[in-house]
Amino acid sequence: MQGLHPQADADPGAVCHSGPVWEWETKALVAAVGLVSAAALWLAVALVRTRRRWQTAVGERGWLLERERESAARAAVEAERDRIARELHDIVSHNVSVMVVQAGAAREVLGTMPDEATAALRAVEDAGRGAMTDLRHLLGLLAPSPSGEDTDQGPGAGSGGGAAELTPQPGLDRLGSLVDRISFAGLPVEVRVSGKPRPLPQGVDVTAYRIIQEALTNALRHGDGAGKAEVTVRYADHALRVEVLNTGPSVLTGGAPAQPTPRQREGTGRGLLGLRERVAVYGGDLDARRRLGGGYRVRARIPLDRP
């Protein structure tokens, strides 16, 4: 009988040991699968949280960029509005002041000196035409026609139907005509130029002209009719210097400036403020104050070597 079961006699404990080994391997495999599943779940949760944080950060960045874009747009609108206000002031204030002075002079001499009254009224007409031309050019730049052309024909435009060419802004090359208008309106002006005149950057050229225009216009508007003005333009090596002086009651002698009439009431100061802003753009400075000897002085320095 023993010869019939050789395997049982050879290893009686083999079957007994295989059960615990298999059970241990199964538990290890289950633990590994559980660990991998937990790691995968943790990674998935971390990925979801990271994605949410990224989306939140992108949303906040987009909101900040939108706010910065809106702020930049508002700043650009304000800057453009100030620039337009300065241009309108320069155009309207000067021409209307000349028109008011000339109209008053024409009314004074209308009955006694008709020729002088006619000349004064002609000056009023010329100033009005100049103001309309400048305003038309400015408005044409702000609101051009759909074709991009300025189709509004001025009083002296030809009949060919072409677009009127926009003239450049005035510079020191038009100082002579400005002085002639002011002198004809009743304020004698003497001009001095020192240094060698040379071409200037367009912005500096326009700024220098506007400084002289504003100073002479204020002197004409607030003067007593018995003063005069002096304009000095100095071409230095590294800067352009402009000075406008006008006479008036002396502070040293106790003279007080004449009280402004309703036609000469004080302005808002926008002109001088605009001039300071213009000069500051080029790194220069502007000083406007009453002179101890009488009258006012406007002095500006504009660097020419600023990059």
Side-chain angles (χ1 to χ4, degrees):
M1 295 297 292
Q2 292 179 354
L4 296 178
H5 302 283
Q7 295 180 354
D9 294 339
D11 190 8
V15 177
C16 298
H17 290 291
S18 62
V21 172
W22 180 85
E23 184 177 355
W24 180 86
E25 292 179 351
T26 302
K27 291 181 179 180
L29 180 61
V30 171
V33 171
L35 182 61
V36 171
S37 300
L41 179 61
W42 181 85
L43 289 175
V45 172
L47 179 62
V48 170
R49 290 179 178 177
T50 302
R51 183 174 180 82
R52 287 178 179 176
R53 286 196 296 267
W54 177 80
Q55 290 177 342
T56 302
V58 169
E60 292 178 353
R61 181 174 177 81
W63 179 79
L64 290 175
L65 290 176
E66 184 67 22
R67 290 292 300 273
E68 291 178 359
R69 185 162 50 247
E70 292 177 356
S71 178
R74 284 195 299 268
V77 169
E78 291 295 332
E80 186 66 11
R81 184 178 299 166
D82 291 340
R83 187 188 68 83
I84 294 171
R86 289 196 300 267
E87 293 296 333
L88 287 174
H89 176 274
D90 293 338
I91 293 171
V92 175
S93 177
H94 169 70
N95 288 285
V96 171
S97 296
V98 172
M99 293 169 65
V100 169
V101 172
Q102 291 291 351
R107 177 177 55 80
E108 295 276 345
V109 301
L110 184 60
T112 58
M113 293 181 288
D115 292 340
E116 285 74 4
T118 301
L121 291 176
R122 187 176 295 112
V124 171
E125 181 182 3
D126 292 341
R129 288 183 183 274
M132 289 299 296
T133 300
D134 292 340
L135 287 173
R136 178 172 59 85
H137 290 169
L138 179 60
L139 294 177
L141 293 175
L142 295 177
S145 63
S147 63
E149 297 179 345
D150 183 11
T151 57
D152 184 16
Q153 297 294 321
S159 57
E165 183 180 358
L166 297 181
T167 58
Q169 294 195 70
L172 292 179
D173 58 333
R174 293 170 58 180
L175 180 59
S177 60
L178 171 64
V179 169
D180 291 342
R181 288 197 303 270
I182 296 294
S183 298
F184 187 78
L187 179 65
V189 181
E190 180 180 354
V191 179
R192 297 188 182 94
V193 178
S194 63
K196 184 178 180 180
R198 58 185 183 273
L200 300 171
Q202 182 181 9
V204 174
D205 199 17
V206 173
T207 299
Y209 178 88
R210 293 303 190 192
I211 291 172
I212 299 173
Q213 182 188 50
E214 178 69 16
L216 292 179
T217 301
N218 288 338
L220 177 65
R221 181 191 303 152
H222 304 297
D224 55 5
K228 65 177 183 178
E230 298 177 0
V231 176
T232 303
V233 180
R234 296 186 179 92
Y235 291 86
D237 293 336
H238 304 289
L240 178 71
R241 298 181 182 272
V242 176
E243 183 179 68
V244 181
L245 307 175
N246 71 286
T247 59
S250 175
V251 177
L252 297 177
T253 58
Q259 293 298 322
T261 63
R263 190 180 65 185
Q264 299 174 325
R265 61 179 179 270
E266 296 293 334
T268 59
R270 179 183 293 273
L272 290 177
L273 179 60
L275 291 180
R276 287 192 174 92
E277 293 176 351
R278 285 178 182 270
V279 173
V281 168
Y282 302 100
D285 53 79
L286 182 140
D287 179 70
R289 64 181 64 190
R290 182 183 296 277
R291 300 169 61 195
L292 293 178
Y296 286 86
R297 182 197 71 194
V298 177
R299 180 181 294 170
R301 182 190 61 86
I302 309 174
L304 297 179
D305 53 0
R306 183 180 176 90

